[in-house]
């Protein structure tokens, strides 16, 4: 580094901009380097990202200058085809080899002492997992946050249903820079117009023909995500989870109960905890699960104030993590394996292991009119002993039940008491709890159901009902018949068992509060609509949508139930 090219950042920290790493295929990757006070060398923190290296994920992290002040050489790199780096961007495709080569280059940088860690959230989390899979010499720990190892299940699809709002929104965000780099002015104008009102773009039908993504001169990745609707060769080519045993280093995972990639983050933690390539790595996986959305991480989530405890200092946690593994400080030795935020009391709790299964059942009951929260649906500890009447509702893809955050699919513990007034969903409510009931892990639903359509979805949503009547969203799950019954016969008007997990959660039901389960056939635009016809969902519109009649059974022979991962005794 030349003193004449360094920018003074105060406290002895200096910035060197636009260093070039030339890969073996000739691609040049550009990075900014932040040097601590003194002469070094130092341990290195690397973030590889596609959003502009000057931003450096400071939407959730301290600025790189802060980490440099604490004795780290910090490197923020534009990935291939983004920012100042050359090449073509196709999400995830090149990050394993490019990350591996970048780390080999950094090991020879005069500021690096040979000990390297990586950090970052979302896409920046995936770049870490992909690089770690290559086992680059010098990479000693990672901190992947709000990301996924299994991209099909954890990022794009949930039990066969596309995470529509996030997939289309993120894809449009990424394509904007591609259009500018390619000089496609007309495509750029359409993308910028869509980005200016991104929350409404999922309403365009058919969504695969959205004008902002349809220009054949644009990269094909969004079109590829939408057309590869099942696990297969396309997803396997970029699936970290299938090669998880190649990762042999410690990882600090951070996620949020209301984050888009929550299920993906938990699955990545569990995959590494159980199947990392060494006992050392398996024993050094840590998880922090907060009450957060994707951005920002703090005490205001949706329309709720979750208290000061939610303002957890993740930067200080990261600093202790890297001090421990890159400076031998032992500063992480006393950290619990899992730290999770319990909604309700809004406090942090700890666990040694993730709950293995949801084993505590609450059974669905009604006299055949569980439609809306005005209906007669209940949840009890008692299984059905006779043939209770079926509950029936109509699914209309033209007027779908909306996502927990409404038509804009906002994230957070929003009050669901108003949408629960609709007759196009079923509502089952427990009696008030008589003591604290702690739930932590993946709830699981087992529905016995019949539909009039050859293709169907069911969604299951949990809410916590306070004595004031607020029905606070907790978690949701969805399953699509084409996915759930892929290897078995599925037919209209026949009873099938829908058994699937909801996204994970930690909450405490306090005395006087009730647990509520909603059953519907959509949560739009969080998930794409099932057209109920043979038309693929990405190509469907109101010309090819069909209404369907859904029936839920709760009898002695078909005891539908929600299974909860409960810790301790249960009292209703």
């Amino acid at each position: 580094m030349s003193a004449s090219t360094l920018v003074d950042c105060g406290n002895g920290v200096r910035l060197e901009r636009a260093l070039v790493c030339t890969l073996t295929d000739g691609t040049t990757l550009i990075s900014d380097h932040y040097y601590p006070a003194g002469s070094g060398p130092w341990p290195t923190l690397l973030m590889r990202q596609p959003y502009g290296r000057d931003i450096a994920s400071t939407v959730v992290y301290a600025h790189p200058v802060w980490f440099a002040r604490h004795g780290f050489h910090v490197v923020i790199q534009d990935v291939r085809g983004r920012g100042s780096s050359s090449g073509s961007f196709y999400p995830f495709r090149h990050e394993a080899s490019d990350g591996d080569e970048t780390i080999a280059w950094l090991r020879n940088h005069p500021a690096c002492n040979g000990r390297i860690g990586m950090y970052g959230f979302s896409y920046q989390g995936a770049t870490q997992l992909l690089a770690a899979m290559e086992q680059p010499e010098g990479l000693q720990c990672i901190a992947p946050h709000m990301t996924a190892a299994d991209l099909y299940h954890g990022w794009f699809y949930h039990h066969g249903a596309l995470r529509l709002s996030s997939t289309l929104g993120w894809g449009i965000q990424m394509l904007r820079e591609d259009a500018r780099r390619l000089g496609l002015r007309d495509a750029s104008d359409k993308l910028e117009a869509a980005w200016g009102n991104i929350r409404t773009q999922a309403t365009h039908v058919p969504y695969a023909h959205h004008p902002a993504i349809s220009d054949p001169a644009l990269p094909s990745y969004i079109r590829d995500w939408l057309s590869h609707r099942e696990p297969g060769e396309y997803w396997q080519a970029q699936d970290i989870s299938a090669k998880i045993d190649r990762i042999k280093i410690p990882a600090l995972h951070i996620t949020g109960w209301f984050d888009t990639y929550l299920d993906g983050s938990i699955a990545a933690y569990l995959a590494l905890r159980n199947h990392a390539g060494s006992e050392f790595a398996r024993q050094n996986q840590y998880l922090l699960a907060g009450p957060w959305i994707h951005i920002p991480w703090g005490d205001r989530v949706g329309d709720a104030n979750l208290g000061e405890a939610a303002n957890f200092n993740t930067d200080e946690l990261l600093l202790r993590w890297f001090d421990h593994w890159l400076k031998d400080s032992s500063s992480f030795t006393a950290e619990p394996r899992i730290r999770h935020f319990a909604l309700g009391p809004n406090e942090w709790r700890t666990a040694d292991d993730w709950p293995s299964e949801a084993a505590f059942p609450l059974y669905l009951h009604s006299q055949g009119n569980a439609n809306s929260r005005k209906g007669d649906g209940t949840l009890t500890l008692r299984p059905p002993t006779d043939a209770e009447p079926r509950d029936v509702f109509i699914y209309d893809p033209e007027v779908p039940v909306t996502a927990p955050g409404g038509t804009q699919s906002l994230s957070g513990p929003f009050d669901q008491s108003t949408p629960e007034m609709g007759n196009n969903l079923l509502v089952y409510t427990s009696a008030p709890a008589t003591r604290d009931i702690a739930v932590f892990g993946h709830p699981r639903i087992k529905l016995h159901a019949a539909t009039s359509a050859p293709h169907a979805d069911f969604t299951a949503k949990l809410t916590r009902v306070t004595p004031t009547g607020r029905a606070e969203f907790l978690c949701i799950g969805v399953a699509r018949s084409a996915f759930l019954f892929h290897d078995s016969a599925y037919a209209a008007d026949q009873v099938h068992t829908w058994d699937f997990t909801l996204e994970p959660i930690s909450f405490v039901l306090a005395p006087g509060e009730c647990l509520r389960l909603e059953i519907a056939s959509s949560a739009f635009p969080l998930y794409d609509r099932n057209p109920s016809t043979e038309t693929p969902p990405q190509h469907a519109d109101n010309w090819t949508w069909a209404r369907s009649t859904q029936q839920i059974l709760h009898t002695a022979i078909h005891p539908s139930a929600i299974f909860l991962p409960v810790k301790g005794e249960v009292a209703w």
Side-chain angles (χ1 to χ4, degrees):
M1 54 184 173
S2 169
S4 62
T5 63
L6 298 181
V7 177
D8 182 6
C9 297
N11 303 101
V13 176
R14 296 145 297 160
L15 163 63
E16 187 174 17
R17 294 192 178 103
L19 273 72
V20 179
C21 170
T22 302
L23 305 181
T24 52
D25 66 358
T27 301
T28 55
L29 303 183
I30 309 302
S31 55
D32 289 344
H33 292 231
Y34 297 83
Y35 304 110
S39 58
W42 307 273
T44 295
L45 303 184
L46 170 64
M47 177 189 292
R48 305 190 62 253
Q49 54 72 53
Y51 302 109
R53 63 186 187 276
D54 53 336
I55 297 174
S57 291
T58 50
V59 290
V60 293
Y61 300 119
H63 195 277
V65 168
W66 186 85
F67 291 101
R69 288 191 200 120
H70 288 86
F72 291 96
H73 165 222
V74 186
V75 178
I76 313 296
Q77 185 183 68
D78 291 328
V79 300
R80 177 188 296 250
R82 310 301 285 183
S84 302
S85 295
S86 68
S88 298
F89 178 69
Y90 191 105
F92 311 107
R93 180 167 288 175
H94 303 285
E95 307 304 357
S97 59
D98 287 2
D100 183 32
E101 288 198 55
T102 295
I103 291 167
W105 171 71
L106 281 177
R107 285 181 55 244
N108 294 315
H109 191 285
C112 178
N113 68 1
R115 306 181 73 174
I116 299 168
M118 294 183 73
Y119 76 109
F121 85 120
S122 197
Y123 193 86
Q124 296 84 279
T127 64
Q128 298 173 62
L129 294 167
L130 287 159
M133 194 172 64
E134 298 298 303
Q135 302 177 6
E137 184 178 352
L139 183 62
Q140 298 188 358
C141 64
I142 55 176
H145 304 156
M146 294 187 174
T147 191
D150 184 334
L151 296 175
Y152 176 82
H153 294 95
W155 192 293
F156 293 100
Y157 288 87
H158 190 185
H159 298 148
L162 176 71
R163 291 178 169 94
L164 176 60
S165 182
S166 61
T167 297
L168 190 60
W170 182 60
I172 288 172
Q173 180 187 6
M174 294 291 97
L175 280 177
R176 291 162 62 235
E177 182 171 337
D178 294 316
R180 292 192 295 267
R181 291 173 73 105
L182 293 168
L184 303 173
R185 187 55 187 262
D186 183 60
S188 177
D189 289 345
K190 291 178 181 178
L191 287 161
E192 292 300 333
W195 181 245
N197 196 16
I198 194 62
R199 289 287 183 178
T200 68
Q201 300 309 309
T203 62
H204 187 280
V205 291
Y207 62 81
H209 304 281
H210 192 296
I213 68 173
S214 298
D215 190 326
L218 288 169
S220 65
Y221 48 81
I222 300 184
R223 302 190 294 274
D224 295 341
W225 301 334
L226 303 185
S227 62
H228 292 88
R229 301 194 63 86
E230 298 180 359
E233 184 177 348
Y234 172 81
W235 296 106
Q236 291 168 2
Q238 44 203 344
D239 182 11
I240 308 159
S241 65
K243 305 170 185 175
I244 209 74
D245 60 346
R246 292 187 54 79
I247 298 179
K248 299 182 178 182
I249 56 176
L252 169 62
H253 307 257
I254 295 180
T255 190
W257 296 135
F258 305 107
D259 177 49
T260 304
Y261 311 121
L262 165 62
D263 221 18
S265 286
I266 299 298
Y269 164 77
L270 291 173
L272 284 166
R273 181 79 173 92
N274 296 318
H275 304 295
S278 69
E279 181 65 18
F280 169 72
R282 293 190 290 273
Q283 290 300 319
N284 287 289
Q285 302 297 313
Y286 291 83
L287 173 66
L288 177 74
W292 307 308
I293 61 175
H294 203 56
I295 304 170
W297 307 348
D299 61 357
R300 299 301 198 274
V301 184
D303 58 357
N305 181 347
L306 299 180
E308 185 56 33
N311 287 326
F312 190 91
N313 194 326
T314 52
D315 292 319
E316 290 288 351
L317 184 73
L318 269 177
L319 186 62
R320 289 194 291 109
W321 173 255
F322 289 125
D323 279 346
H324 181 94
W325 295 111
L326 303 182
K327 295 183 180 180
D328 303 321
S329 70
S330 300
S331 55
F332 216 78
T333 303
E335 187 68 21
R337 175 83 61 196
I338 298 173
R339 190 190 299 270
H340 61 99
F341 192 91
L343 296 163
N346 294 339
E347 63 186 20
W348 291 96
R349 300 189 172 189
T350 61
D352 294 328
D353 293 294
W354 186 262
S356 58
E357 68 174 307
F360 184 84
L362 282 175
Y363 294 95
L364 283 62
H365 297 273
S366 82
Q367 291 304 308
N369 189 24
N371 304 76
S372 87
R373 62 180 172 87
K374 298 182 295 181
D376 59 10
T378 61
L379 291 174
T380 78
L381 306 177
R382 172 184 57 83
T385 57
D386 53 17
E388 296 179 1
R390 298 182 181 188
D391 287 311
V392 182
F393 69 96
I394 303 301
Y395 165 60
D396 184 353
E398 193 161 359
V399 190
V401 173
T402 58
T407 55
Q408 293 190 327
S409 194
L410 302 175
S411 300
F414 288 99
D415 185 1
Q416 303 299 292
S417 58
T418 296
E420 286 172 351
M421 293 293 290
N423 275 357
N424 55 352
L425 75 168
L426 305 178
V427 176
Y428 302 88
T429 307
S430 76
T434 58
R435 68 172 68 177
D436 282 356
I437 300 172
V439 176
F440 169 51
H442 282 87
R444 181 171 64 88
I445 190 77
K446 188 173 184 180
L447 290 177
H448 299 278
T451 79
S452 64
H455 298 275
D457 289 356
F458 279 105
T459 63
K461 183 202 302 180
L462 285 181
T463 66
R464 181 173 63 92
V465 185
T466 69
T468 65
R470 177 182 171 87
E472 192 166 273
F473 169 67
L474 294 167
C475 61
I476 194 169
V478 65
R480 181 154 290 173
S481 59
F483 176 86
L484 200 62
F485 304 102
H486 184 268
D487 296 325
S488 59
Y490 180 83
D493 297 319
Q494 293 186 13
V495 176
H496 296 277
T497 302
W498 295 67
D499 191 339
F500 58 94
T501 57
L502 282 63
E503 295 213 333
I505 193 65
S506 173
F507 69 93
V508 176
L509 205 65
E513 296 180 339
C514 304
L515 186 68
R516 180 170 288 165
L517 171 68
E518 298 175 27
I519 302 298
S521 284
S522 60
F524 179 79
L526 176 65
Y527 308 121
D528 64 344
R529 288 174 273 205
N530 195 322
S532 303
T533 65
E534 297 297 333
T535 303
Q538 71 272 28
H539 299 305
D541 59 15
N542 56 352
W543 288 82
T544 50
W545 290 334
R547 301 183 186 96
S548 57
T549 301
Q550 326 292 60
Q551 302 182 59
I552 301 297
L553 290 72
H554 35 82
T555 67
I557 298 175
H558 296 108
S560 296
I562 180 77
F563 294 83
L564 302 175
V566 174
K567 183 178 181 181
E569 296 183 14
V570 175
W572 261 289

